[in-house]
Amino acid sequence: MSNIMATIKIPIPPLAEQERIVSILDKFEALTTSLSDGIPAEQAAQQKRYEYYRDKLLTFEKRP
């Protein structure tokens, strides 16, 4: 079995192509991380806005 594995050739792209691929993947990872961090923060801000306006709309003056 090890003799067969030794004869298999796996093509490896040139170093410049590998660096280009890594650059693309790094940008993609940065974008997804940014989205992962930004979405919960935006949800929290939306929740605070909702609570603020809900309280403003549902606050009634007391009648004497």
Side-chain angles (χ1 to χ4, degrees):
M1 183 82 162
S2 63
N3 291 338
I4 295 172
M5 294 300 285
T7 61
I8 296 176
K9 293 188 178 187
I10 300 172
I12 299 174
L15 185 58
E17 181 66 8
Q18 292 178 38
E19 290 172 345
R20 187 181 76 80
I21 293 169
V22 167
S23 173
I24 291 168
L25 292 175
D26 285 345
K27 290 176 186 175
F28 181 73
E29 195 253 339
L31 178 64
T32 56
T33 299
S34 173
L35 288 173
S36 297
D37 293 342
I39 290 174
E42 181 57 32
Q43 287 174 332
Q46 183 65 28
Q47 182 65 30
K48 287 183 181 181
R49 281 191 293 274
Y50 166 77
E51 291 170 357
Y52 172 81
Y53 287 111
R54 179 198 63 201
D55 292 344
K56 287 289 186 185
L57 289 171
L58 299 177
T59 302
F60 301 102
E61 294 181 16
K62 293 181 181 179
R63 292 186 178 209

